[in-house]
Amino acid sequence: MSGSRLRDVAARAGVSIRTVSNVVNGYAPVAATTRERVERAVQELDYRPNVLARSLKRGRSGMLALVVPELDVPYFSELARAIITQARLNGYTVVIDQTDGDAGRERELILRSSRAAVFDGVLLSPVALSAADISEHNPSVPIVLLGERIAASPFDHVAIDNVSAAREVTEYLFSIGRRRLAAIGDQPYETGETAQLRTQGFREAHISAARELDERLIVGCPHFHRSEGARAMSALLDGGGPTPDAVFCYNDLLAVGALRVMLSRGIRVPEDIALVGFDDIEEVRFTTPSLTTIAPDKTRLAELALQRLILRINTQDFSGPEELFVSHRLIVRESTTHGRQ
Amino acid sequence: MSGSRLRDVAARAGVSIRTVSNVVNGYAPVAATTRERVERAVQELDYRPNVLARSLKRGRSGMLALVVPELDVPYFSELARAIITQARLNGYTVVIDQTDGDAGRERELILRSSRAAVFDGVLLSPVALSAADISEHNPSVPIVLLGERIAASPFDHVAIDNVSAAREVTEYLFSIGRRRLAAIGDQPYETGETAQLRTQGFREAHISAARELDERLIVGCPHFHRSEGARAMSALLDGGGPTPDAVFCYNDLLAVGALRVMLSRGIRVPEDIALVGFDDIEEVRFTTPSLTTIAPDKTRLAELALQRLILRINTQDFSGPEELFVSHRLIVRESTTHGRQ
């Protein structure tokens, strides 16, 4: 069926060719139910836009850059996978590069990508950039920010509602009877906005529930790696402050490191200390105990970011950058529930 | 120091400009010690080849394709990271695409990449391809195979010595007193050569040690995922065959799945059953118990594959495809040692 054309897709989906084109090329927004019908028809007919012809006609490369801090951090590789899949559906190829969370490298990649006009657009998950860093970028190459925001930047931004997710975790831990909650992962400096939003949600839930919060139970982490989770957990246990009966880690890798430290000290999870992560990477479905976590809708995140980027590419209208949110849900597993299977 | 040039690198390394060029551009092989000196100088001076100028002069894109089955499998994302780092050092950009281990998709990517001449070369980690599948590829775009081989193909192939690694694991398990070893991950069909080599090493070590091998203790797995390791371990325990006192999994993800099943059934690791994986992904340094595994030299694998690919690109000489091996080592951790910290 590889000879399918726009017209066949339109007939199968029962919509106009213009509507199919709006979905596939992102010329204009399309209602969710219609979009789903078109996407199903695209998949059923195995329709692939003729990228090369399209690029030649429009003077575009058909390539998008995905710039992430670290490709071997599971959250980013799972997100990259979702983005590659979505981009392919839209006839784009994705070039991936990683910055190691270094501001200079992030800036270099953005400027190089946009100046050389090799890429039609850039998806950026920034760690270290400020708005000033990218003021020189070529404005005709659109950028969409994933997850982390750049304060006061003129770019669309797709993320989950971090404050409400953190509040949900905190309220859940109170609801199962935990009283001294610790948080691992705060980043109280300019480029740590996502972490700060999670700390904000953690604090707000304490205030709403009229619970006291011991500041020694909030532990910072410059990077969200397993080794830092282990270090932070050791610091919590050895620091002379109160021992928590629940720990909320700002990503799953931190939780994996914290879990390792607790188990190696004979601390029972969740009986002695309950544990919650963030991201729902596959790894934490297989730890013992399996990990309670926040699952962002990664597929939808990829879809929305691509849609927005393609719309900007095609319209070349960069006015009114938007904040777009995708949903998340709390997945309860063994690390917070006593009755383990 | 970003203004550094080839000449500065040569002076710093104490070698000729031609030698630096051979290392950086891969024109000709360079002795390991010299290469290391040059690479150190390149890093110290932050030298970056002028890719765009070079591409224009030679009619090349400066882009390489890395085609892997699944980007969110940690082995591949760690390898991708190493390859991106190495490619950057050589002035190349890497485009990553994934095939989901589907032969049609692998073939499509190879043919598209090579026909459109978008890429100067392709690094391919094949899962499902046979030589016939890629007989139509454009021969002027070189391909280097990573890990899995394609039987009778005309391509360079970089991998570790799988037979000797598996033999080493098996001999080690005998040496610590284990007698009934199981293996999880066999793939007794055309495209499963890596798995077959590991089974071969497992068998050879049994023969050398004059130990009997119960065929029911070799369990197949079409994919090397956590869920399949869990399934295979359950099959071993419930299958009615002998219960093993050690399990060798053909990758770390399988071992993570097997570990989860054992712990949830109250089986002590390693006291009741010892466990060994393969790949040394970061995840298994943080499991409880941490996992004994085979660590391939991923940095060297990336380096050697890039070097070989760039040599083929620059010489356009595709004669005499080579088998190149990188080293590995057995890393002993808690999953096989009683005296845990």
Side-chain angles (χ1 to χ4, degrees):
Chain A
M1 298 287 252
S2 60
S4 299
R5 291 179 303 155
L6 218 56
R7 199 170 56 193
D8 305 323
V9 176
R12 161 83 63 138
V15 299
S16 69
I17 291 180
R18 175 183 293 267
T19 301
V20 176
S21 174
N22 282 341
V23 172
V24 171
N25 298 310
Y27 288 129
V30 174
T33 53
T34 311
R35 187 173 43 72
E36 274 162 30
R37 244 187 12 248
V38 171
E39 283 172 358
R40 207 175 318 119
V42 162
Q43 278 173 335
E44 283 165 4
L45 295 173
D46 193 22
Y47 169 74
R48 297 202 192 88
N50 187 336
V51 181
L52 207 61
R54 207 165 71 180
S55 302
L56 288 173
K57 208 163 68 188
R58 300 197 208 148
R60 294 200 188 130
S61 68
M63 293 199 303
L64 306 176
L66 170 63
V67 181
V68 296
E70 295 161 306
L71 196 53
D72 53 354
V73 164
Y75 174 76
F76 291 118
S77 56
E78 292 185 4
L79 187 63
R81 180 174 193 160
I83 284 172
I84 288 176
T85 304
Q86 274 297 318
R88 189 186 292 164
L89 189 67
N90 288 288
Y92 280 93
T93 301
V94 177
V95 176
I96 303 180
D97 217 329
Q98 64 185 3
T99 60
D100 299 311
D102 173 69
R105 178 99 199 116
E106 288 183 355
R107 191 171 49 234
E108 186 200 317
L109 283 174
I110 295 306
L111 296 182
R112 201 182 63 187
S113 313
S114 68
R115 283 211 188 120
V118 172
F119 302 107
D120 298 341
V122 177
L123 293 164
L124 170 65
S125 187
V127 166
L129 284 184
S130 66
D133 285 323
I134 43 175
S135 55
E136 297 166 63
H137 106 283
N138 176 348
S140 78
V141 176
I143 295 178
V144 169
L145 303 178
L146 295 171
E148 198 68 59
R149 228 169 41 147
I150 298 177
S153 82
F155 308 125
D156 296 315
H157 175 233
V158 185
I160 70 164
D161 181 341
N162 283 292
V163 176
S164 96
R167 211 163 39 204
E168 220 172 303
V169 167
T170 313
E171 284 162 1
Y172 163 70
L173 288 171
F174 287 143
S175 80
I176 59 167
R178 304 295 164 145
R179 307 178 63 87
R180 286 183 314 284
L181 315 191
I184 291 182
D186 193 34
Q187 298 183 331
Y189 35 81
E190 196 197 356
T191 56
E193 194 181 61
T194 295
Q196 286 163 39
L197 293 173
R198 294 179 190 172
T199 300
Q200 183 189 330
F202 183 69
R203 286 185 190 282
E204 285 180 9
H206 276 79
I207 294 167
S208 301
R211 307 275 187 132
E212 265 187 63
L213 171 55
D214 188 315
E215 291 297 325
R216 289 171 296 178
L217 291 177
I218 298 181
V219 185
C221 285
H223 303 285
F224 282 10
H225 294 166
R226 296 176 186 90
S227 55
E228 294 210 8
R231 187 197 50 70
M233 192 67 223
S234 299
L236 265 178
L237 295 171
D238 301 332
T243 300
D245 59 10
V247 176
F248 168 32
C249 292
Y250 291 1
N251 86 346
D252 286 343
L253 291 189
L254 291 172
V256 163
L259 179 62
R260 164 89 195 155
V261 165
M262 289 193 270
L263 296 181
S264 71
R265 293 183 181 214
I267 293 170
R268 293 167 308 157
V269 180
E271 291 82 350
D272 301 322
I273 303 181
L275 182 63
V276 180
F278 208 109
D279 287 347
D280 190 33
I281 61 175
E282 191 187 91
E283 175 173 349
V284 301
R285 296 169 214 168
F286 285 85
T287 51
T288 304
S290 58
L291 192 66
T292 295
T293 190
I294 289 282
D297 188 342
K298 288 173 204 131
T299 306
R300 184 70 189 134
L301 188 70
E303 198 178 73
L304 208 58
L306 254 300
Q307 228 173 62
R308 176 55 46 163
L309 189 63
I310 293 174
L311 188 69
R312 296 288 188 191
I313 292 171
N314 289 332
T315 61
Q316 290 283 312
D317 171 3
F318 303 122
S319 60
E322 284 193 60
E323 294 283 324
L324 303 164
F325 289 99
V326 298
S327 65
H328 63 265
R329 60 201 178 92
L330 177 71
I331 298 185
V332 173
R333 298 204 186 95
E334 297 164 354
S335 69
T336 56
T337 50
H338 281 275
R340 281 151 60 183
Q341 54 176 12
Chain B
M1 300 283 252
S2 59
S4 298
R5 292 179 303 154
L6 219 54
R7 201 170 54 193
D8 304 322
V9 176
R12 162 81 65 138
V15 299
S16 69
I17 291 180
R18 174 183 293 267
T19 300
V20 175
S21 174
N22 283 341
V23 171
V24 171
N25 298 311
Y27 287 129
V30 173
T33 52
T34 310
R35 186 172 43 73
E36 276 161 30
R37 253 201 348 261
V38 172
E39 284 172 358
R40 206 175 319 120
V42 163
Q43 278 172 335
E44 284 165 4
L45 295 173
D46 195 22
Y47 168 73
R48 298 200 192 91
N50 186 335
V51 183
L52 207 60
R54 209 164 69 179
S55 302
L56 288 173
K57 208 164 67 188
R58 300 197 205 148
R60 295 203 186 126
S61 69
M63 293 200 302
L64 306 177
L66 170 63
V67 180
V68 296
E70 295 161 305
L71 196 54
D72 54 355
V73 164
Y75 173 75
F76 291 118
S77 56
E78 292 185 4
L79 187 63
R81 179 172 195 163
I83 284 172
I84 287 175
T85 305
Q86 274 298 318
R88 188 187 294 164
L89 189 67
N90 288 287
Y92 280 93
T93 300
V94 177
V95 176
I96 303 181
D97 218 329
Q98 64 186 2
T99 61
D100 299 311
D102 174 68
R105 179 97 197 118
E106 287 184 355
R107 191 171 48 234
E108 185 200 319
L109 284 173
I110 295 306
L111 296 182
R112 201 182 64 187
S113 314
S114 69
R115 284 212 188 117
V118 172
F119 302 108
D120 297 340
V122 177
L123 293 163
L124 170 65
S125 188
V127 165
L129 283 185
S130 65
D133 285 323
I134 42 176
S135 55
E136 298 166 64
H137 104 283
N138 177 347
S140 78
V141 176
I143 295 178
V144 169
L145 303 178
L146 295 171
E148 198 68 57
R149 228 168 42 145
I150 298 177
S153 83
F155 308 125
D156 296 314
H157 175 233
V158 185
I160 70 161
D161 182 341
N162 283 293
V163 176
S164 94
R167 212 162 39 204
E168 219 172 304
V169 168
T170 314
E171 284 162 2
Y172 164 70
L173 289 170
F174 287 143
S175 80
I176 59 168
R178 303 295 162 144
R179 307 178 62 88
R180 286 182 314 285
L181 314 190
I184 290 181
D186 193 34
Q187 299 183 330
Y189 35 81
E190 196 197 359
T191 56
E193 194 181 60
T194 296
Q196 286 163 39
L197 293 173
R198 293 178 190 173
T199 301
Q200 182 188 330
F202 184 67
R203 285 185 191 282
E204 285 181 10
H206 276 78
I207 294 168
S208 301
R211 306 275 186 131
E212 265 186 62
L213 172 55
D214 189 315
E215 291 297 325
R216 288 170 296 179
L217 291 177
I218 299 181
V219 185
C221 286
H223 303 284
F224 282 10
H225 295 166
R226 297 176 186 90
S227 55
E228 294 211 7
R231 187 196 50 71
M233 193 67 223
S234 300
L236 264 178
L237 295 171
D238 301 331
T243 300
D245 59 10
V247 175
F248 168 33
C249 293
Y250 290 3
N251 86 346
D252 286 343
L253 291 189
L254 290 172
V256 162
L259 179 63
R260 164 88 195 156
V261 166
M262 289 193 270
L263 296 180
S264 71
R265 292 183 182 214
I267 293 170
R268 295 167 307 158
V269 180
E271 292 82 349
D272 302 323
I273 303 181
L275 182 63
V276 180
F278 207 109
D279 287 346
D280 190 34
I281 60 175
E282 190 186 91
E283 175 174 348
V284 301
R285 296 169 214 168
F286 285 85
T287 52
T288 304
S290 59
L291 192 66
T292 295
T293 190
I294 289 282
D297 188 340
K298 288 172 205 130
T299 306
R300 184 69 190 135
L301 187 71
E303 197 179 73
L304 208 57
L306 254 301
Q307 227 174 63
R308 175 57 46 162
L309 189 63
I310 293 172
L311 189 68
R312 296 287 188 189
I313 293 170
N314 289 332
T315 61
Q316 290 284 310
D317 171 3
F318 303 122
S319 59
E322 282 192 61
E323 294 284 324
L324 302 164
F325 289 99
V326 299
S327 64
H328 63 265
R329 60 201 178 92
L330 177 71
I331 298 186
V332 173
R333 298 204 186 96
E334 297 164 353
S335 69
T336 57
T337 50
H338 281 275
R340 281 151 60 183
Q341 58 177 10

